[in-house]
Amino acid sequence: MLCTRYSFTDKLGSYIEFFGFAQEKDKANHSFDGGLTYLINNNFMLDLSSGIGITDNAPNH
């Protein structure tokens, strides 16, 4: 996994990430996604994200 994030304020941030996995008997599954985060309090964060599959068998959501 490769991930980077940026904080606009103390509560509002964003991120992008590239991740994947390779199962022993299946094709590799790689995806790319990003999103926004909002910190409600120290124990609760909202996350809105979207992504795309890079390999053929990766989900597109």
Side-chain angles (χ1 to χ4, degrees), residues 6-37:
Y6 180 77
S7 295
F8 299 108
T9 68
D10 289 342
K11 294 188 177 260
L12 183 64
S14 66
Y15 66 92
I16 56 173
E17 61 185 350
F18 170 76
F19 61 95
F21 61 92
Q23 298 177 3
E24 188 174 318
K25 297 181 180 183
D26 201 1
K27 294 180 181 177
N29 179 337
H30 300 309
S31 297
F32 176 80
D33 71 359
L36 295 172
T37 59

Side-chain angles (χ1 to χ4, degrees), residues 9 11-13 36-41 44-48:
T9 68
K11 294 188 177 260
L12 183 64
L36 295 172
T37 59
Y38 184 74
L39 184 64
I40 302 292
N41 61 39
F44 191 70
M45 178 185 287
L46 295 176
D47 180 346
L48 175 66

Side-chain angles (χ1 to χ4, degrees), residues 45-58:
M45 178 185 287
L46 295 176
D47 180 346
L48 175 66
S49 66
S50 182
I52 59 170
I54 296 173
T55 55
D56 290 337
N57 62 335

